[in-house]
Amino acid sequence: MSLSVSRRLAAVTAIAVAGLFASTAPAALASPTAPAAPASPAAATAAPTPPDIPIANVKAHLTQLQSIATANGGNRAHGKAGYKASIDYVKAKLDAAGYTTTLQTFTSSGATGYNLIADWPGGDPNSVLMSGSHLDSVNAGPGINDNGSGSAAILETALAVSRAGLQSTKHLRFGWWGAEELGMVGSTYYVNNLPSAEKSKISGYLNFDMVGSPNPGYFVYDDDATIEQTFKTYFAGVGIPTEIETEGDGRSDHAPFKNAGIPVGGLFSGADYIKTAAQAQKWGGTSGKAFDACYHRSCDTSANLDDAALDKNSDAIAYAVWTLGAAATVPPGRSFENTTDINIPDSPAAGVSSPITVSGVTGNAPATTKVDVNIVHTYRGDLQIDLIAPDGTAYRLKNSSSDSADNVIASYTVNASSEVANGVWKLQVKDVAAQDVGYINSWKITF
Ligand code: TRP
Ligand code: ZN
Ligand code: CA
């Protein structure tokens, strides 16, 4: 480093002035290992707003599933080409959206069956919120309401999670089951092959089997109370009365989860039961007629849907995933500050660091973690500055240079998304050239 004598004299004056006017500086200079000042209080936590799922997207998936059936003998049944093509379609969408997908195979009735599992990266691995739908149809038809509807609704919810870049509190998982129509074969296989430690990590399973019935009812499963209430709250908010699902408990893929002791819930718009006059009164549609007169028939095509039911149920699914899975995401703008001054010894010397203990922030730090640095120094070019994450990972904020100016008063954005937010963060400052000195005045980290 080259520096003129006059510059050095000016620098000495500057540090003297700083020492005079910064009342806390002398104490800090004498105690560079002073404990961190208490973190500033957290801002109010804000849960992310659940999205309105675009019904056009859900219907576009159903159009594709209909085309797949049409091209493959009119169905998407277990063991048939239309089933595997359906799995491939869903998997490609999820892979492109950043999901980690797993194809699980099993054998049933002499044919290979497939479950598709999609994990959204992040969230607490010990608390998993899983949503699932069976993707197979019966042999008789394309299975668009049963159960292209649930499959498309959770697919579009999963894609909405990706579009939102949702930082969920819980780990989010989605599943598409094979061979449900043969007796919940795929979902049973999945649950039976989960190690018990993995089973106990699933905090809830949400099932969606038939959510676009053409003469719809709005049924909520009467299982786990929290899940049930979450759906009821959504429907109350949009002014739609609900009833408890009674068309046959245990008739879908939530049954094996429930039998394994996992809290379950779900939605259902009705199958072969007949809509009563009272139900037609509150929901519209036709009394004396089945909720889905094409249930398990060749006419369960892309015409066999009620768009309003499909729309509201899709939005209810997203509401539940956001509410149950992301209620306490890292609230934006929570700041923690250390205002204790810390002397930076002149080179050659080891660096010093100023700690901040972060607590009460769930999950990882954001990709836009902000670090505000306030260092009083007579020659900023001497300073090399790093942010040290709780696990010791260093993020370089500033290199040393021949930057001939006083002080570092700057704001840096760090992609710290692979770091757990809670723990002790440090601002590490090293002086790499002799003569000029200063101190860390304060620094602040904002999540
Ligand atoms: N699982 C059934 C099927 O796919 C449909 C069904 C009937 C259903 N009653 C139900 C789904 C009750 C959920 C809840 O054929
Ligand atoms: Zn079904
Ligand atoms: Ca120096």
Side-chain angles (χ1 to χ4, degrees):
M1 188 196 85
S2 68
L3 189 60
S4 71
V5 171
S6 63
R7 165 74 195 148
R8 291 217 169 272
L9 289 174
V12 169
T13 309
I15 190 71
V17 169
L20 255 178
F21 286 90
S23 59
T24 53
L29 288 167
S31 61
T33 54
S40 61
T45 60
T49 308
D52 185 335
I53 298 297
I55 182 66
N57 294 9
V58 178
K59 292 205 77 173
H61 300 314
L62 291 168
T63 299
Q64 292 303 312
L65 294 178
Q66 174 67 66
S67 300
I68 286 167
T70 303
N72 290 283
N75 68 54
R76 302 181 303 100
H78 167 71
K80 305 288 173 64
Y83 182 70
K84 183 56 166 47
S86 300
I87 282 280
D88 292 345
Y89 171 78
V90 174
K91 183 175 185 299
K93 294 284 177 194
L94 294 161
D95 286 339
Y99 278 81
T100 303
T101 58
T102 308
L103 199 56
Q104 181 179 50
T105 61
F106 58 89
T107 303
S108 182
S109 306
T112 301
Y114 302 90
N115 292 328
L116 176 66
I117 309 299
D119 284 278
W120 179 240
D124 182 352
N126 294 314
S127 184
V128 178
L129 179 66
M130 186 164 193
S131 305
S133 293
H134 77 84
L135 186 56
D136 64 312
S137 72
V138 291
N139 284 316
I144 296 305
N145 184 38
D146 181 15
N147 183 34
S149 63
S151 294
I154 68 166
L155 171 59
E156 194 54 31
T157 299
L159 299 180
V161 165
S162 169
R163 285 193 293 269
L166 190 64
Q167 289 193 24
S168 56
T169 311
K170 290 188 180 157
H171 177 78
L172 302 182
R173 182 176 298 156
F174 297 85
W176 286 262
W177 311 119
E180 186 271 353
E181 300 291 5
L182 275 59
M184 302 162 252
V185 177
S187 54
T188 303
Y189 183 87
Y190 174 78
V191 172
N192 287 348
N193 285 279
L194 263 189
S196 58
E198 293 304 311
K199 269 180 221 173
S200 65
K201 291 176 186 170
I202 302 180
S203 67
Y205 171 75
L206 313 180
N207 194 62
F208 306 101
D209 182 359
M210 306 179 72
V211 294
S213 303
N215 186 28
Y218 291 85
F219 299 100
V220 176
Y221 296 10
D222 173 21
D223 280 287
D224 178 74
T226 304
I227 298 172
E228 179 185 347
Q229 188 53 54
T230 302
F231 287 124
K232 286 179 171 173
T233 299
Y234 168 79
F235 284 106
V238 294
I240 296 176
T242 61
E243 286 186 15
I244 297 307
E245 188 281 304
T246 55
E247 201 168 326
D249 246 353
R251 269 179 74 182
S252 189
D253 299 297
H254 54 295
F257 287 87
K258 185 177 171 153
N259 292 340
I262 295 166
V264 303
L267 299 175
F268 178 53
S269 56
D272 47 357
Y273 281 28
I274 306 298
K275 186 180 267 188
T276 66
Q279 288 170 331
Q281 186 75 35
K282 64 173 145 185
W283 291 324
T286 312
S287 68
K289 213 180 133 205
F291 294 104
D292 182 357
C294 287
Y295 174 62
H296 285 184
R297 296 173 59 196
S298 61
C299 57
D300 185 9
T301 65
S302 49
N304 188 45
L305 295 167
D306 180 83
D307 285 3
L310 189 62
D311 185 19
K312 293 302 181 226
N313 282 321
S314 299
D315 291 346
I317 294 168
Y319 178 86
V321 168
W322 258 251
T323 305
L324 296 169
T329 20
V330 179
R334 288 186 67 172
S335 291
F336 299 83
E337 189 169 23
N338 186 343
T339 57
T340 304
D341 294 2
I342 294 183
N343 185 32
I344 306 165
D346 200 5
S347 177
V352 292
S353 65
S354 169
I356 289 177
T357 300
V358 172
S359 64
V361 179
T362 310
N364 281 12
T368 53
T369 298
K370 195 169 149 241
V371 181
D372 290 298
V373 176
N374 185 319
I375 294 174
V376 176
H377 201 271
T378 53
Y379 190 82
R380 56 178 284 147
D382 290 5
L383 301 178
Q384 173 184 297
I385 309 175
D386 293 282
L387 172 71
I388 311 295
D391 71 354
T393 306
Y395 295 85
R396 178 61 44 89
L397 302 181
K398 179 194 170 301
N399 279 309
S400 59
S401 67
S402 52
D403 184 2
S404 174
D406 292 342
N407 309 333
V408 180
I409 297 168
S411 183
Y412 302 93
T413 299
V414 177
N415 182 351
S417 58
S418 63
E419 307 293 343
V420 172
N422 285 342
V424 180
W425 295 75
K426 290 173 187 152
L427 188 75
Q428 180 177 284
V429 183
K430 191 168 157 59
D431 185 330
V432 300
Q435 294 190 18
D436 289 276
V437 292
Y439 62 95
I440 301 172
N441 191 22
S442 66
W443 75 285
K444 182 166 80 170
I445 187 163
T446 304
F447 298 102

